[in-house]
């Protein structure tokens, strides 16, 4: 067993930081590249393959099998010697039993593994974890709203700061690599990971994704600070639009949509954000298993974007090429296909035979030495960038702000800005002080439902154990309005020991009787926590029990405030008409109850806006950027009527406030433009109400005529402003002419001569492109 020259490995780092044109730390210092080449030259093929391997921590834990470990967790030195000593494994991931650990336990686990790795080869392992809305697997960590809620803030800086706090607290857990952010655009309301996305729009996902990556990694990707870490953007790509609506199932996506919408957030996160790693889609796109797609991984990412980071598989997805997709005859063929397509690290996560299988393929010439060296170089580069050769583990005491009041204050502020008011009939909200309130529904008294999946465990089912110091909606309402003024009768409850959709026998009449003496009913409905495939559904409509509860309470004549606490938009068409108010909380995190109580009382003015189109009918799923032919008003003349109309419950970008805003004086500096021009657009926004509030100003464009049927409109910019009553603020956007291009039928970005309409609120103005341009390269 070879132990590399520690003098080589521990030389001081001198990194370059090229920050220009929005790109973060573009190139690695040649001296570091030389060190990596020197290490690779000394490595055996077995050691190289080890660097390309990633296994779950349970495989080195005591407990009798690789799938579960004893509690409290303890490392098995025999298995550690097998994994590190025999197979030279370069990466470990996950939390034992998918259960949150203390920072002290994380320090023990990772320092023990790192010491063994350094002893064996001198090369540190890199530990990876899912940190989705905070340090998921660390007890006491700060939890933010899930990505869908962060998107609803339309606040880039909020996303960046939230990611930085998550990075800091994950580093406090001795982990330098997170599998986040999720860059899949959530364009299908049925999908069980809708809440992990930044919504349905490509531009919104790109902007928030870049902000998150910069928050995670800092400003220099080549010398990541010890309060930052490496981001892993996922799941490349098209994962969020499976034909069936079910997780990890095939997608059919046109080449135009693939390039123009699904690829763009990943491109931006790499080119503008500097993302250091990328995880691959678990499914199939247009018949090709993504984990074996050379074109997408090697050509689109590594070659076209000059990406020098690591491409890692998702959980057990190399095995899936063989056992699920039937694209290879055996496991060996699956490993060959994935590595040759461009995979650099395989998240196996249990099968140590991966190492010997890849070794056989190299010895047989089925996988080239050059491909192995390229993958290992990328892995070592990532470890150098994170400073792991200098400092492979550290003390939790170096992170005194872990779980601090300052961190929690920002999480509360994020929840405040994410919650979205969808209906407020007769200004029933805010609720006046001293009102008597019935709080009902299955989501009323649960920290689990406020947080959703990836909260202290994979499915979120352990949340109550770890989050009891925070307030449920019920507890927050009692604190805000007084315990004597707030009654609780759920009417419907979840079976917390069963599947996420299972409910106990309803007791609707109890809730109806409890409503007799109150002024308001706050009905908290939606979903229990779930994640990935276990969250699949067959019916998007809200459960029958919850629907019946809502209808029964509406019949009491008391104003019903529907509080939606859900990962995806469950259909509420039957109960929306009888609701006096509707508030969407998404999955707001540990401070969601407090934020909601502040909004219902009027202490906080809601400012969230929907990052997706809220559907009205199961057969009416549509996105805001649809084609004109998908929503034709009126009837065609003649024998056949081919008109098509799609009704939605609430549109993309919709959200009310306790005040009102008006838009005026739209102005454009130049109404004629080419691809190379910058178009300056401004509008005056006035708070015309009686209370202060925040408004997300959204800029849309519409290509009025194009050679391919254009989207009806596209989001091109957004800014959030805070205005006092009567205050006017001019909001200005700079749009590149090239940003109005589309991808043509040949897969080329194209900007055509013709007229475009720009829209800000109810203000519109037209501009004209005077020169057609077709880009010959894959990217603009």
């Amino acid at each position: 067993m070879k132990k590399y020259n520690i003098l080589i490995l521990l030389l001081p780092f001198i990194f370059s930081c090229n920050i220009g044109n929005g790109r973060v730390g573009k190139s690695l210092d040649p001296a570091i590249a030389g060190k990596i080449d020197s290490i690779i030259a000394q490595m055996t093929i077995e050691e190289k393959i080890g660097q390309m391997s990633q296994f779950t921590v349970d495989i080195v834990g005591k407990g009798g099998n690789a799938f579960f470990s004893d509690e409290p967790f303890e490392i098995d030195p025999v298995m550690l010697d097998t994994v590190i000593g025999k197979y030279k494994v370069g990466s470990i991931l996950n939390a034992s039993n998918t259960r949150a650990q203390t920072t002290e336990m994380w320090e023990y686990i990772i320092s023990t593994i790192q010491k063994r790795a350094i002893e064996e080869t001198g090369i540190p392992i890199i530990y990876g974890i899912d940190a989705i809305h905070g340090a998921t697997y660390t007890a006491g960590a700060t939890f933010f709203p899930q990505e869908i809620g962060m998107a609803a803030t339309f606040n880039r800086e909020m996303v960046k700061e939230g990611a930085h706090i998550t990075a800091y607290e994950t580093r406090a857990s001795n982990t330098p690599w997170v599998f986040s952010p999720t860059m899949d655009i959530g364009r299908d309301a049925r999908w069980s990971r809708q809440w992990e996305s930044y919504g349905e729009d490509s531009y919104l996902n790109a902007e928030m994704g870049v902000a998150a990556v910069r928050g995670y990694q800092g400003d220099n990707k080549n010398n990541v600070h010890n309060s930052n870490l490496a981001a892993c953007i996922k799941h490349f790509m098209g994962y969020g639009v499976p034909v069936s609506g079910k997780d990890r199932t095939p997608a059919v996506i046109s080449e135009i949509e693939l390039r123009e919408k699904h690829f763009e957030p990943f491109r931006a996160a790499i080119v503008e954000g500097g993302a250091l790693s990328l995880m691959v889609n678990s499914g199939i796109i247009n018949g090709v298993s993504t984990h074996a797609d050379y074109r997408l991984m090697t050509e689109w990412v590594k070659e076209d974007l000059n990406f020098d980071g690591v491409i890692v598989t998702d959980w057990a997805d190399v095995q899936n090429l063989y056992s699920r997709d039937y694209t290879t005859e055996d496991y060996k063929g699956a490993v060959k296909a994935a590595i040759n397509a461009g995979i650099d690290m395989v998240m196996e996560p249990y099968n140590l035979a991966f190492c010997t299988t890849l070794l056989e393929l190299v010895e047989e010439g089925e996988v080239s030495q050059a491909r192995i060296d390229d993958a290992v170089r990328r892995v070592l580069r990532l470890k150098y960038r994170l400073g792991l050769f200098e400092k492979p583990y550290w003390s939790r005491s170096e992170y005194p702000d872990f779980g601090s009041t300052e961190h929690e204050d920002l999480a509360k502020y994020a929840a405040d800005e994410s919650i979205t008011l969808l209906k407020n009939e007769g200004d029933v909200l805010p609720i006046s002080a001293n009102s008597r309130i019935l709080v009902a529904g299955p989501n009323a008294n649960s920290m689990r439902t406020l947080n959703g999946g990836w909260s202290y465990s994979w499915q979120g089912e352990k949340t109550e154990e770890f989050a009891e110091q925070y307030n449920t909606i019920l507890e927050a309402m009692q604190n805000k309005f007084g315990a004597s003024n707030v009654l609780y009768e759920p009417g419907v409850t979840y079976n917390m020991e069963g599947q996420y959709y299972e409910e106990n026998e309803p007791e609707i009449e109890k809730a109806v009787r409890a409503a007799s003496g109150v002024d308001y009913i706050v009905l908290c409905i939606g979903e229990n926590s779930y994640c990935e495939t276990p969250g699949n559904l067959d019916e998007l409509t809200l459960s029958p029990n919850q629907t019946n509860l809502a209808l029964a309470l509406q019949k009491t004549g008391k104003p019903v405030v529907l509080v939606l606490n859900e990962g995806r938009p469950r259909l509420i068409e039957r109960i929306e008409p009888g609701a006096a108010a509707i508030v969407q909380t998404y999955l707001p995190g540990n401070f969601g109850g407090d934020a909601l109580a502040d909004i219902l009382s009027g202490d906080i003015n809601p400012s969230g806006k929907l990052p997706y189109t809220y559907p009205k009918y199961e057969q009416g799923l549509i996105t805001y950027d649809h084609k004109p032919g998908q929503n034709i008003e009126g009837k065609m003349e003649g024998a056949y009527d081919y008109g098509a109309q799609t009704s939605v419950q609430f549109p993309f970008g919709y959200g009310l406030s306790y005040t009102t805003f008006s838009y005026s004086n739209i102005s454009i500096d130049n109404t004629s433009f080419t691809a190379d021009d910058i178009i300056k657009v401004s509008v005056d926004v006035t708070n015309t109400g009686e209370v202060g509030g925040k408004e997300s100003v959204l800029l849309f464009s519409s290509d009025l005529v194009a050679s391919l049927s254009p989207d009806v409109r596209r989001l091109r910019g957004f800014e959030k402003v805070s205005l006092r009553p009567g205050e006017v603020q001019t909001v200005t956007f700079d749009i590149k002419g090239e940003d109005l291009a589309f991808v043509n039928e040949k897969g080329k970005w194209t900007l055509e001569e013709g007229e475009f309409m720009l829209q800000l609120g109810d203000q519109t103005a037209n501009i004209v492109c005077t020169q057609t341009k077709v880009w010959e390269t894959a990217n603009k």
Side-chain angles (χ1 to χ4, degrees):
M1 292 180 287
K2 188 178 297 181
K3 186 173 182 179
Y4 302 112
N5 188 335
I6 296 300
L7 291 177
I8 292 176
L9 302 183
L10 299 184
L11 283 172
F13 297 106
I14 306 173
F15 290 100
S16 65
C17 179
N18 300 329
I19 306 179
N21 301 319
R23 303 186 183 195
V24 181
K26 183 180 177 183
S27 59
L28 187 69
D29 188 278
I32 302 301
K35 295 172 190 176
I36 293 172
D37 289 339
S38 177
I39 294 172
I40 290 175
Q42 299 177 61
M43 295 174 73
T44 65
I45 185 60
E46 291 85 358
E47 290 163 339
K48 292 177 180 179
I49 289 170
Q51 291 299 307
M52 298 170 64
S53 309
Q54 185 180 59
F55 295 93
T56 185
V57 69
D58 283 308
I59 206 169
V60 297
K62 291 184 177 180
N65 63 57
F67 305 111
F68 299 99
S69 302
D70 292 338
E71 292 287 354
F73 181 80
E74 186 176 353
I75 287 178
D76 183 340
V78 175
M79 282 306 301
L80 185 63
D81 187 62
T82 299
V83 171
I84 302 297
K86 180 178 179 180
Y87 292 104
K88 315 294 190 294
V89 168
S91 183
I92 303 292
L93 83 152
N94 213 16
S96 62
N97 304 322
T98 70
R99 178 187 183 85
Q101 304 288 350
T102 64
T103 52
E104 291 77 13
M105 177 59 80
W106 278 123
E107 184 177 342
Y108 154 71
I109 292 169
I110 295 175
S111 65
T112 302
I113 296 171
Q114 289 287 31
K115 289 173 184 177
R116 184 67 183 88
I118 297 298
E119 175 189 6
E120 185 64 32
T121 65
I123 301 177
I125 61 111
I126 180 169
Y127 206 103
I129 203 79
D130 286 286
I132 306 304
H133 66 126
T136 293
Y137 286 120
T138 304
T142 305
F143 280 12
F144 289 82
Q146 298 279 4
E147 274 193 19
I148 198 67
M150 295 300 281
T153 70
F154 281 85
N155 187 332
R156 298 174 185 84
E157 193 61 30
M158 180 80 73
V159 170
K160 182 180 177 181
E161 288 304 310
H164 184 222
I165 287 173
T166 296
Y168 179 95
E169 297 194 354
T170 305
R171 274 280 194 171
S173 311
N174 256 265
T175 301
W177 189 20
V178 293
F179 306 130
S180 178
T182 298
M183 303 302 302
D184 311 298
I185 49 178
R187 296 173 70 81
D188 189 326
R190 301 170 298 170
W191 188 43
S192 61
R193 306 189 78 165
Q194 172 83 0
W195 50 273
E196 291 185 61
S197 79
Y198 290 116
E200 72 183 38
D201 179 66
S202 178
Y203 174 77
L204 178 58
N205 272 265
E207 290 292 295
M208 295 308 202
V210 169
V213 169
R214 288 179 171 171
Y216 283 137
Q217 295 184 176
D219 293 330
N220 186 358
K221 73 174 188 178
N222 288 316
N223 188 5
V224 178
H225 191 267
N226 61 12
S227 66
N228 296 101
L229 39 64
C232 184
I233 55 177
K234 64 183 187 182
H235 309 82
F236 183 75
M237 65 181 166
Y239 186 37
V241 288
V243 174
S244 69
K246 291 180 165 56
D247 185 50
R248 282 178 163 79
T249 58
V252 177
I253 309 171
S254 73
E255 192 77 358
I256 292 170
E257 289 268 320
L258 198 63
R259 171 72 69 180
E260 186 174 325
K261 295 180 179 176
H262 295 273
F263 183 63
E264 183 58 21
F266 289 94
R267 184 209 62 78
I270 291 171
V271 175
E272 298 164 25
L276 291 172
S277 61
L278 175 149
M279 183 183 292
V280 181
N281 171 11
S282 295
I284 295 171
I285 300 176
N286 301 333
V288 181
S289 300
T290 317
H291 276 75
D293 197 326
Y294 179 89
R295 183 179 73 116
L296 294 186
M297 286 189 285
T298 297
E299 294 179 357
W300 283 35
V301 175
K302 291 184 175 180
E303 294 176 0
D304 291 350
L305 301 184
N306 295 315
F307 179 64
D308 67 356
V310 172
I311 294 183
V312 62
T313 75
D314 205 343
W315 187 273
D317 276 326
V318 170
Q319 169 69 34
N320 282 337
L321 295 175
Y322 160 60
S323 60
R324 183 196 67 188
D325 297 347
Y326 299 96
T327 58
T328 64
E329 293 183 351
D330 53 23
Y331 178 66
K332 187 174 182 179
V335 173
K336 173 185 172 181
I339 300 300
N340 285 337
I343 293 294
D344 301 310
M345 181 182 288
V346 173
M347 187 188 293
E348 182 34 48
Y350 301 108
N351 186 9
L352 289 167
F354 163 76
C355 299
T356 54
T357 301
L358 182 53
L359 177 61
E360 290 176 10
L361 288 166
V362 174
E363 291 174 339
E364 294 166 3
E366 297 296 320
V367 174
S368 71
Q369 184 69 57
R371 174 75 270 270
I372 297 295
D373 286 352
D374 173 63
V376 174
R377 185 172 287 106
R378 291 168 181 273
V379 173
L380 295 180
R381 187 182 293 131
L382 179 58
K383 293 179 178 182
Y384 264 111
R385 284 169 159 163
L386 290 169
L388 294 178
F389 283 97
E390 281 189 326
K391 195 172 185 179
Y393 55 92
W394 43 88
S395 171
R396 179 259 185 272
S397 64
E398 297 176 38
Y399 296 85
D401 292 330
F402 173 88
S404 66
T405 300
E406 291 76 12
H407 289 185
E408 292 195 333
D409 285 347
L410 187 65
K412 166 62 166 58
Y413 188 45
D416 291 343
E417 287 212 358
S418 70
I419 293 175
T420 305
L421 179 61
L422 297 176
K423 183 177 182 180
N424 194 18
E425 198 171 75
D427 292 331
V428 67
L429 296 179
I431 298 173
S432 58
N434 300 317
S435 297
R436 288 182 57 77
I437 303 164
L438 170 65
V439 176
N443 295 60
N445 196 28
S446 170
M447 292 307 303
R448 174 179 174 177
T449 62
L450 285 176
N451 280 282
W454 293 124
S455 302
Y456 306 107
S457 65
W458 179 36
Q459 295 296 314
E461 81 285 358
K462 299 180 177 70
T463 299
E464 308 298 344
E465 174 185 347
F466 290 93
E468 59 184 2
Q469 71 269 37
Y470 302 104
N471 293 319
T472 65
I473 294 173
L474 171 64
E475 291 164 343
M477 292 291 287
Q478 289 173 332
N479 292 340
K480 177 64 64 174
F481 292 94
S484 61
N485 288 328
V486 178
L487 308 179
Y488 173 58
E489 189 60 60
V492 174
T493 57
Y494 296 117
N495 175 10
M496 291 298 188
E497 304 303 317
Q499 300 295 319
Y500 82 94
Y501 50 81
E502 292 182 15
E503 296 169 349
N504 298 313
E505 189 68 24
E507 297 180 313
I508 294 174
E509 285 305 314
K510 284 187 177 181
V512 171
R513 286 195 297 270
S516 61
V518 302
D519 304 307
Y520 294 88
I521 300 170
V522 174
L523 177 56
C524 306
I525 57 178
E527 297 182 310
N528 202 355
S529 72
Y530 56 82
C531 190
E532 301 189 51
T533 304
N536 284 344
L537 51 64
D538 294 316
E539 173 59 60
L540 191 57
T541 301
L542 193 68
S543 78
N545 286 339
Q546 294 187 54
T547 299
N548 291 336
L549 174 63
L551 293 172
L553 290 174
Q554 288 170 0
K555 288 179 180 178
T556 65
K558 303 298 175 66
V560 175
V561 179
L562 287 184
V563 173
L564 305 177
N565 173 207
E566 56 192 5
R568 59 197 152 197
R570 303 301 290 265
L571 305 185
I572 57 171
E573 183 264 339
R574 288 186 61 199
I575 62 176
E576 180 275 330
I582 301 176
V583 182
Q584 173 63 282
T585 68
Y586 312 97
L587 300 173
N590 280 330
F591 294 95
D594 298 315
L596 177 66
D598 281 344
I599 285 172
L600 294 184
S601 69
D603 289 344
I604 296 290
N605 193 348
S607 63
K609 289 186 181 290
L610 283 176
Y612 53 68
T613 302
Y614 203 117
K616 192 170 187 177
Y617 303 107
E618 189 91 39
Q619 302 305 315
L621 304 184
I622 197 169
T623 56
Y624 87 96
D625 54 349
H626 58 267
K627 301 298 181 184
Q630 291 176 265
N631 198 11
I632 302 172
E633 295 183 3
K635 297 171 70 68
M636 292 179 65
E637 294 182 358
Y640 298 100
D641 175 16
Y642 290 115
Q645 281 191 289
T646 302
S647 296
V648 302
Q649 196 73 64
F650 303 104
F652 172 87
Y654 183 76
L656 302 174
S657 170
Y658 293 152
T659 189
T660 53
F661 300 95
S662 68
Y663 289 68
S664 60
N665 302 324
I666 188 170
S667 174
I668 300 174
D669 67 340
N670 189 352
T671 57
S672 298
F673 72 96
T674 67
D676 298 326
D677 291 332
I678 301 295
I679 306 158
K680 189 176 293 292
V681 189
S682 64
V683 70
D684 290 342
V685 183
T686 305
N687 183 343
T688 54
E690 298 179 355
V691 296
K694 297 175 183 177
E695 171 75 343
S696 291
V697 182
L698 310 184
L699 172 62
F700 294 96
S701 74
S702 299
D703 191 345
L704 299 184
V705 178
S707 58
L708 296 181
S709 182
D711 297 336
V712 293
R713 63 179 186 159
R714 294 289 298 275
L715 182 67
R716 302 300 186 185
F718 59 87
E719 293 295 336
K720 195 162 195 174
V721 296
S722 180
L723 298 172
R724 298 183 302 275
E727 183 180 2
V728 182
Q729 185 169 330
T730 300
V731 181
T732 301
F733 299 89
D734 289 335
I735 313 173
K736 296 178 182 178
E738 66 180 30
D739 288 345
L740 300 181
F742 64 92
V743 175
N744 67 18
E745 72 279 6
K746 297 179 181 179
K748 301 291 187 181
W749 282 97
T750 304
L751 179 65
E752 294 180 336
E753 294 180 12
E755 198 169 11
F756 293 78
M757 184 181 73
L758 300 181
Q759 181 179 8
L760 287 157
D762 60 358
Q763 300 285 294
T764 64
N766 286 11
I767 56 176
V768 177
C769 176
T770 59
Q771 184 178 8
T772 294
K773 179 175 181 178
V774 179
W775 282 259
E776 292 305 317
T777 56
N779 299 291
K780 291 179 289 182

